[in-house]
Amino acid sequence: MNILVINAGSSSLKYQLIDMTTESILAKGLCERIGINGSNIEQKAGGKLYKKTLPLKNHVEAFGALVDALTDAEYGAVPDLSSIGAAGHRVVHGAEAFTGSVLIDDTVMQALRDNIPLAPLHNPANIMGIEACRAVMPDVPMVAVFDTAFHQTMPRRAYLYGLPYEYYEQYKIRRYGFHGTSHRYVTARAAQLLGRPIEQLKLISCHMGNGSSFAAVEGGRSIDTTMGLTPLEGLIMGTRSGDIDPTVIEMLMTSTGMSLADVMSVLNKRSGLLGLSAGLSSDWRDVKIGAQTGNDAALRAAEVFAYRAKKYIGGYIAAMNGCDAILFTAGIGENDSFARALILKGMEYLGITLDPERNQTREEALISADESRVKVFVVPTNEELAIARDTLALTGTIYTRYHSPAIERSLV
Ligand code: ADP
């Protein structure tokens, strides 16, 4: 069966068509600037590049363009829509309503709308993506896979803020965590690499990209993670501040005259590596080159980035009372030996020693020294494949339910 994986943003739509018999990518594409001048679609399928600039007024039009690209006689991947068995959608915020992936129906759509206040930037875009998919492919079953779902196993000591409890009860203000699909994929893969059941393992998954989060995963369940109510909390990221004292917001407003919206925009878009490097770059590659060639602003950004990361790793080892393996993934985690070495430097006391030569890899590999009590791995993430696997599992259920109506909707 072929599964279409959709990641819809407010003005973009990323997709992959995956053949699940071999788990291979048949086509990979991106619609950009939806609703803006100069909208376009680009797709790679079977080594051929399909590229078109065309008006895409909304997500439904983008979906139409995606279907045209996928079924194009020369550049496409499949002859027609009947070769697409199901669609899996990435949804950012599932709040407390979703502890796993779920078949999309009207009740689910309503729950997604109910969650908009918790993710005002992301969930409306995800909903538009689902509705566009429904409009263009009404007969294709669809699954929602949530960034937050994996972290719903966090105990209350990890997910509550030190705020009046009524705010949690009334407004659901709590820590949720994100990147759950990646943390779940990477920790499951690590268990295979270690040759041990995940139920017996204490793992720290370090997803470091433009957005970064770490997760403490004990027995296959997330028990803590660095992001919170939104993806702003936690680590230093490309442009996000991570943890700060909330009083910073008040001080910035009173000293600069910025509005609350302005300050929030600074914290989300002008902070992190970009802010600490005094505007040099939000891209780790630039920061690293700067740090290695004597640019003090870049070095400062790299130091704060690595120090924050190190403290979270130490904290998670304490939270789990041990750690079998630390896993590095995503753009920085998979590709950058310098970042990994900077973060794990001076952690021998906790049983962590990198092997400098093994650490040079950009592929799946063990990178700790033989004497390291805690193993360290690079484990490339694959969120699209994880979404496709969940979609296959749940649409298999649809097929069964079709023949046996008693079977309830189930969670992966
Ligand atoms: P996103 O969160 O947007 O999915 P990615 O996982 O693609 O982000 O990661 C982007 C980050 O990865 C950037 O900071 C980039 O500099 C870094 N990165 C990508 N490739 C490399 C590389 N070869 N070496 C070092 N850093 C890299």
Side-chain angles (χ1 to χ4, degrees), residues 14 179 207-211 273 282-286 288 330-332 335-336 362 383:
K14 282 190 211 153
H179 290 141
H207 179 115
M208 302 194 298
N210 282 316
L273 295 177
S282 64
D283 191 301
W284 175 257
R285 282 166 291 200
D286 301 330
K288 175 181 83 165
I332 304 171
N335 291 303
D336 200 65
R362 291 175 60 191
E383 287 163 287

Side-chain angles (χ1 to χ4, degrees), residues 339-376:
R340 298 188 294 249
L342 205 60
I343 293 169
L344 296 185
K345 197 170 149 216
M347 295 186 85
E348 294 80 12
Y349 178 79
L350 290 176
I352 305 166
T353 311
L354 273 190
D355 179 304
E357 264 169 47
R358 289 179 187 164
N359 186 33
Q360 293 313 312
T361 188
R362 291 175 60 191
E363 283 165 11
E364 182 177 275
L366 176 78
I367 58 169
S368 47
D370 289 341
E371 70 271 20
S372 187
R373 203 164 61 245
V374 177
K375 292 194 168 17
V376 185

Side-chain angles (χ1 to χ4, degrees), residues 40-283:
N40 60 78
I41 179 165
E42 197 174 308
Q43 171 183 286
K44 273 190 195 148
K48 288 186 181 170
L49 181 67
Y50 174 100
K51 216 171 167 178
K52 246 185 185 176
T53 302
L54 74 177
L56 301 171
K57 281 207 280 310
N58 51 42
H59 284 66
V60 176
E61 290 194 4
F63 229 94
L66 168 168
V67 168
D68 288 347
L70 281 176
T71 56
D72 186 87
E74 194 179 346
Y75 295 95
V78 286
D80 52 52
L81 278 187
S82 67
S83 345
I84 301 176
H89 293 266
R90 177 188 180 208
V91 179
V92 169
H93 218 309
E96 291 184 332
F98 299 103
T99 56
S101 303
V102 69
L103 272 171
I104 297 175
D105 59 15
D106 291 340
T107 320
V108 170
M109 290 307 287
Q110 190 49 49
L112 297 185
R113 286 186 204 102
D114 294 343
N115 288 341
I116 287 176
L118 287 169
L121 296 179
H122 293 103
N123 273 26
N126 300 152
I127 290 169
M128 279 193 286
I130 295 171
E131 283 172 345
C133 185
R134 262 187 163 177
V136 177
M137 306 195 286
D139 299 326
V140 171
M142 295 191 293
V143 166
V145 180
F146 301 91
D147 277 22
T148 49
F150 183 57
H151 301 299
Q152 277 297 302
T153 47
M154 278 196 287
R156 69 181 174 190
R157 63 174 181 270
Y159 73 68
L160 284 177
Y161 290 115
L163 293 170
Y165 191 64
E166 69 205 59
Y167 297 145
Y168 164 60
E169 291 178 307
Q170 284 176 22
Y171 307 114
K172 296 286 170 222
I173 293 177
R174 51 160 282 179
R175 308 183 62 250
Y176 290 96
F178 299 85
H179 290 141
T181 311
S182 175
H183 292 304
R184 179 162 58 107
Y185 179 89
V186 165
T187 49
R189 178 68 193 141
Q192 288 176 340
L193 293 173
L194 288 161
R196 288 173 60 190
I198 197 158
E199 291 73 21
Q200 295 175 7
L201 292 170
K202 296 174 178 179
L203 301 169
I204 300 176
S205 166
C206 305
H207 179 115
M208 302 194 298
N210 282 316
S212 299
S213 76
F214 291 179
V217 179
E218 189 169 2
R221 295 157 69 85
S222 172
I223 62 128
D224 204 350
T225 190
T226 55
M227 286 177 170
L229 176 74
T230 73
L232 183 54
E233 188 179 334
L235 301 160
I236 303 288
M237 304 178 221
T239 61
R240 290 178 224 151
S241 63
D243 300 334
I244 57 159
D245 180 339
T247 314
V248 170
I249 297 171
E250 185 193 22
M251 253 197 94
L252 274 177
M253 289 174 72
T254 46
S255 7
T256 66
M258 278 192 279
S259 66
L260 178 59
D262 290 341
V263 175
M264 291 314 293
S265 169
V266 168
L267 297 181
N268 276 294
K269 297 185 179 151
R270 287 175 45 204
S271 299
L273 295 177
L274 180 66
L276 281 162
S277 67
L280 176 76
S281 181
S282 64
D283 191 301

